[in-house]
């Protein structure tokens, strides 16, 4: 790992981030980072333990003179989204993140950086390790599997935590203070289909959509970014309608909470349509690239003729249903909030489309800050998929976080921010899944707030963290700790 990362200021933050990023920590495979964090707490001589689901809790007493302040919970999640570019040779299960400095940004070479939520975790670690930072009694809560199911937060039982105020450090714009977030639900459609022998006189093609920005399926959903699954479906639909294209395989997208950047399909057409198909596809590709030229300047769509032809293809009746269903299924913003300006209320991300060996899987993540609207969109999607014979399962549902504009800790943070920066922070609710709403179900009286340093491109290989913002974040947190309200 580059020493230049460890030399950045504030050094306690960046050194802990470097330590953390040396440990592989994919969602649902957090065994190594759990042991790392437990060893960290134990070596500091602090009370350290796991709960039943393997969240790690580390307790540190108040520093002298701060014993009369309300006890606090500092919270972040241990796992990170694993995304890499296709041309990047990297094994997330065995390798630490390869970081480098690019101007004001810290980036990773061809992969996600893990600043979401690694910088928040590193901040908490630096505070636990410090001997000169004033703070009240602290419980550090490191949750697991936030990115793919909120598993740690959902399974944290009531009574484990003793704090009265929770500071979640998982927000990605340093001028924002979050007091609310969206809930979510996974909508997964599956069905089997019959495979047919490829007709004689067919030619095979591979269609590839790549070069899209991708990004966070909540925080970036309003930007109008390209969805590789929707773009691919458009190409396949045109080829089917005009030339009888038949699908052998589709592999599009990756993680449910990442806007899909790439999709690959293997298809056939009758040899008699070969030239006309390629000509038509180039026109369609030109139209799509023109539509996305501002938001997706690096979009690439390739149609490559194969030397071999797939042995089997989808049943045409099921294929038509699939293409029409994905066309009909909503992707993107569904409804804007009527109560908070510029806040996305409800959205859907068609995250993953897999067609192979007689099986179809379409994975969606639906988000909303209004429970009824979340289920309205989920049922709309279910209807589109069931109309062509899919079984649709709802899973992983988690609640949103209702804003509390009268929060005592909100007053503390807004006052400190204005004093340090000369202007007021944006007090917002976000269209992403923060753990506060879930934790609040078992800790309804805990005063919660979320904030963090500026991180762009989360959930994509373009993820980057601002060095200047990390310095602002560090200064902000230290003064917050000194100004936690006194016990009543």
């Amino acid at each position: 790992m580059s020493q230049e990362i460890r030399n950045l200021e504030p050094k306690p933050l960046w050194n802990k981030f470097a330590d953390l990023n040396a440990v592989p920590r994919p969602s649902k495979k957090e065994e190594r980072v759990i042991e790392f964090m437990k060893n960290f707490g134990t070596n500091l001589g602090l009370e350290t333990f796991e709960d039943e689901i393997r969240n790690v809790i580390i307790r540190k007493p108040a520093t002298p003179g701060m014993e009369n302040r309300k006890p606090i919970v500092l919270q972040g999640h241990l796992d990170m989204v694993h995304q890499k570019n296709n041309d990047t040779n990297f094994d997330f299960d065995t390798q630490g993140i390869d970081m480098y400095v690019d101007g004001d940004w810290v980036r990773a070479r061809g992969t996600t950086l893990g600043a979401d939520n690694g910088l928040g975790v590193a901040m908490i670690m630096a505070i636990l390790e410090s001997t000169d930072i004033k703070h009240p009694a602290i419980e550090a809560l490191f949750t697991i599997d936030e990115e793919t199911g909120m598993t740690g937060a959902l399974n944290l039982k009531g009574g484990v935590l003793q704090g009265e105020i929770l500071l979640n450090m998982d927000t990605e714009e340093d001028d924002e203070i979050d007091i609310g977030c969206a809930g979510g639900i996974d909508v997964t459609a599956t069905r089997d289909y019959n495979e047919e022998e490829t007709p004689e006189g067919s030619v095979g093609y591979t269609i590839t959509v790549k070069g899209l920005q991708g990004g966070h399926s909540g925080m970036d959903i309003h930007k109008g970014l390209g969805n590789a699954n929707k773009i691919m479906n458009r190409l396949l639909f045109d080829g089917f309608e005009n030339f009888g294209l038949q699908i052998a395989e589709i592999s599009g997208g990756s993680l449910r909470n990442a806007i899909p950047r790439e999709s690959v399909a293997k298809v056939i057409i009758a040899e008699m349509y070969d030239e006309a198909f390629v000509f038509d596809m180039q026109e369609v590709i030109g139209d799509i690239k023109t539509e996305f030229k501002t938001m997706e300047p690096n979009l690439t769509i390739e149609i490559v003729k194969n030397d071999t032809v797939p042995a089997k293809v989808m049943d045409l009746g099921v294929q038509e249903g699939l293409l029409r269903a994905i066309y009909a299924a909503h992707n993107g913003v569904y409804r804007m909030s009527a109560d908070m300006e510029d806040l996305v209320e409800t959205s859907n991300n068609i995250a993953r489309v897999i067609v192979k060996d007689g099986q179809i899987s379409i994975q969606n993540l639906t988000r909303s800050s209004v429970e009824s609207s979340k289920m309205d969109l989920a049922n709309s999607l279910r209807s589109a998929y069931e109309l062509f014979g899919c079984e649709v399962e709802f899973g992983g549902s988690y609640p949103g976080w209702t804003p509390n504009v009268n929060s005592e800790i909100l007053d503390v943070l807004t006052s400190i921010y204005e004093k340090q920066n000369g202007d007021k922070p944006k007090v917002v609710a976000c269209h992403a899944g923060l753990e506060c709403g879930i934790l609040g179900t078992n800790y309804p009286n805990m005063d919660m707030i979320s904030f963090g340093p500026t991180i762009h491109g989360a959930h994509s290989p373009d993820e980057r963290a601002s060095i200047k913002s990390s310095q602002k974040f560090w200064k902000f947190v230290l003064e917050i700790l000194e100004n936690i309200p006194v016990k009543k």
Side-chain angles (χ1 to χ4, degrees):
M1 180 167 300
S2 174
Q3 186 62 36
E4 65 179 347
I5 303 299
R6 294 188 179 275
N7 289 336
L8 293 173
E9 295 290 347
K11 287 185 179 179
L13 175 64
W14 287 107
N15 273 275
K16 289 300 156 214
F17 185 57
D19 291 344
L20 180 67
N21 258 4
V23 183
R25 50 192 175 99
S27 302
K28 300 191 185 301
K29 296 181 181 179
E30 294 108 321
E31 294 83 3
R32 284 161 292 191
V33 74
I34 290 169
E35 291 305 313
F36 166 81
M37 197 58 67
K38 286 166 58 181
N39 289 335
F40 172 76
T42 300
N43 291 337
L44 290 174
L46 301 176
E47 180 185 358
T48 303
F49 62 97
E50 292 180 36
D51 70 356
E52 294 178 6
I53 199 65
R54 302 208 73 188
N55 297 313
V56 178
I57 295 99
I58 302 175
R59 292 186 173 131
K60 184 180 183 184
T63 55
M66 298 289 289
E67 296 89 350
N68 67 333
R69 305 301 180 97
K70 289 184 177 182
I72 63 171
V73 178
L74 302 179
Q75 189 263 322
H77 63 83
L78 293 176
D79 61 317
M80 65 172 282
V81 169
H82 281 185
Q83 288 270 280
K84 69 181 185 69
N85 293 321
N86 274 348
D87 58 357
T88 299
N89 184 15
F90 191 88
D91 185 352
F92 283 107
D93 286 340
T94 61
Q95 293 178 251
I97 302 301
D98 184 10
M99 299 186 287
Y100 68 99
V101 174
D102 179 16
D104 181 51
W105 300 99
V106 172
R107 298 175 178 265
R109 300 186 196 280
T111 72
T112 38
L113 174 64
D116 171 19
N117 180 223
L119 276 179
V121 170
M123 172 64 81
I124 299 169
M125 292 173 67
I127 294 165
L128 292 173
E129 189 177 67
S130 72
T131 58
D132 59 354
I133 295 175
K134 294 174 62 177
H135 59 76
I138 289 172
E139 285 177 303
L141 171 62
F142 301 105
T143 50
I144 63 161
D145 192 32
E146 188 267 357
E147 298 290 4
T148 62
M150 300 279 188
T151 304
L154 285 166
N155 290 278
L156 178 73
K157 293 185 176 179
V160 175
L161 301 178
Q162 302 166 2
E164 297 182 39
I165 295 169
L166 183 140
L167 305 180
N168 169 282
M169 299 187 182
D170 196 16
T171 297
E172 295 167 5
E173 293 292 344
D174 68 13
D175 61 349
E176 292 183 354
I177 296 174
D178 246 298
I179 60 172
C181 73
I185 188 169
D186 294 322
V187 180
T188 304
T190 57
R191 72 158 290 173
D192 297 336
Y193 64 89
N194 292 323
E195 291 189 296
E196 300 177 344
E197 297 291 332
T198 299
E200 292 186 11
S202 299
V203 292
Y205 280 87
T206 297
I207 304 175
T208 303
V209 176
K210 61 182 180 180
L212 294 168
Q213 293 186 55
H216 193 292
S217 69
M219 301 299 288
D220 297 324
I221 201 70
H222 65 288
K223 294 179 178 178
L225 299 169
N227 179 305
N229 290 323
K230 274 290 196 177
I231 292 173
M232 177 62 79
N233 194 75
R234 186 170 168 180
L235 296 163
L236 298 176
F237 186 88
D238 183 271
F240 168 66
E241 288 262 290
N242 293 316
F243 303 101
L245 173 150
Q246 289 183 266
I247 298 167
E249 294 180 14
I250 305 174
S251 177
S254 56
L255 303 175
R256 68 194 237 299
N257 55 3
I259 298 171
R261 299 178 299 115
E262 299 175 349
S263 179
V264 179
K266 295 181 180 180
V267 303
I268 64 161
I269 59 163
E271 190 172 13
M272 61 185 291
Y273 297 131
D274 196 2
E275 290 186 12
F277 167 72
V278 173
F279 179 81
D280 178 78
M281 282 288 103
Q282 293 307 322
E283 286 195 339
V284 176
I285 290 168
D287 290 340
I288 293 171
K289 293 184 76 170
T290 297
E291 292 169 20
F292 283 100
K293 66 181 180 181
T294 300
M295 288 305 302
E296 299 286 5
N298 298 317
L299 169 61
T300 301
I301 303 174
E302 298 174 346
I303 311 288
V304 178
K305 191 172 184 178
N306 300 328
D307 294 332
T308 59
V309 178
K312 294 186 177 182
V313 291
M314 288 187 76
D315 167 83
L316 275 175
V318 176
Q319 175 181 300
E320 182 173 4
L322 169 69
L323 296 176
R324 294 188 185 280
I326 294 177
Y327 234 132
H330 185 86
N331 180 80
V333 176
Y334 184 68
R335 188 170 189 266
M336 297 297 291
S337 173
D339 301 315
M340 294 193 73
E341 188 176 357
D342 297 327
L343 174 67
V344 177
E345 179 192 283
T346 310
S347 74
N348 183 61
N349 179 45
I350 301 179
R352 188 91 167 106
V353 176
I354 301 296
V355 176
K356 190 174 182 180
D357 298 332
Q359 294 185 320
I360 296 168
S361 174
I362 308 168
Q363 300 169 23
N364 307 259
L365 176 54
T366 301
R367 301 177 188 263
S368 183
S369 52
V370 177
E371 188 69 15
S372 59
S373 186
K374 181 180 84 175
M375 295 311 302
D376 174 50
L377 180 51
N379 283 322
S380 173
L381 293 164
R382 183 178 74 173
S383 299
Y385 298 134
E386 285 182 342
L387 281 172
F388 97 98
C390 276
E391 292 185 7
V392 179
E393 179 181 353
F394 292 165
S397 182
Y398 57 90
W401 171 26
T402 303
N404 174 18
V405 295
N406 298 314
S407 160
E408 184 178 29
I409 193 61
L410 173 61
D411 291 341
V412 172
L413 265 68
T414 52
S415 175
I416 292 172
Y417 186 96
E418 189 169 2
K419 184 183 77 172
Q420 289 186 350
N421 300 286
D423 55 5
K424 293 182 179 181
K426 301 171 186 173
V427 178
V428 301
C430 73
H431 192 63
L434 295 172
E435 293 163 289
C436 298
I438 298 168
L439 296 171
T441 59
N442 285 330
Y443 296 89
N445 297 318
M446 192 177 289
D447 198 2
M448 300 184 181
I449 204 149
S450 180
F451 61 101
T454 296
I455 300 165
H456 289 173
H459 297 190
S460 82
D462 193 41
E463 183 182 4
R464 57 204 185 276
S466 167
I467 298 167
K468 184 178 180 180
S469 178
S470 73
Q471 295 161 359
K472 178 180 176 181
F473 178 50
W474 177 260
K475 181 182 176 183
F476 190 38
V477 171
L478 267 55
E479 189 160 355
I480 292 168
L481 295 176
E482 286 193 43
N483 287 275
I484 295 297
V486 298
K487 299 175 185 177
K488 293 180 180 178

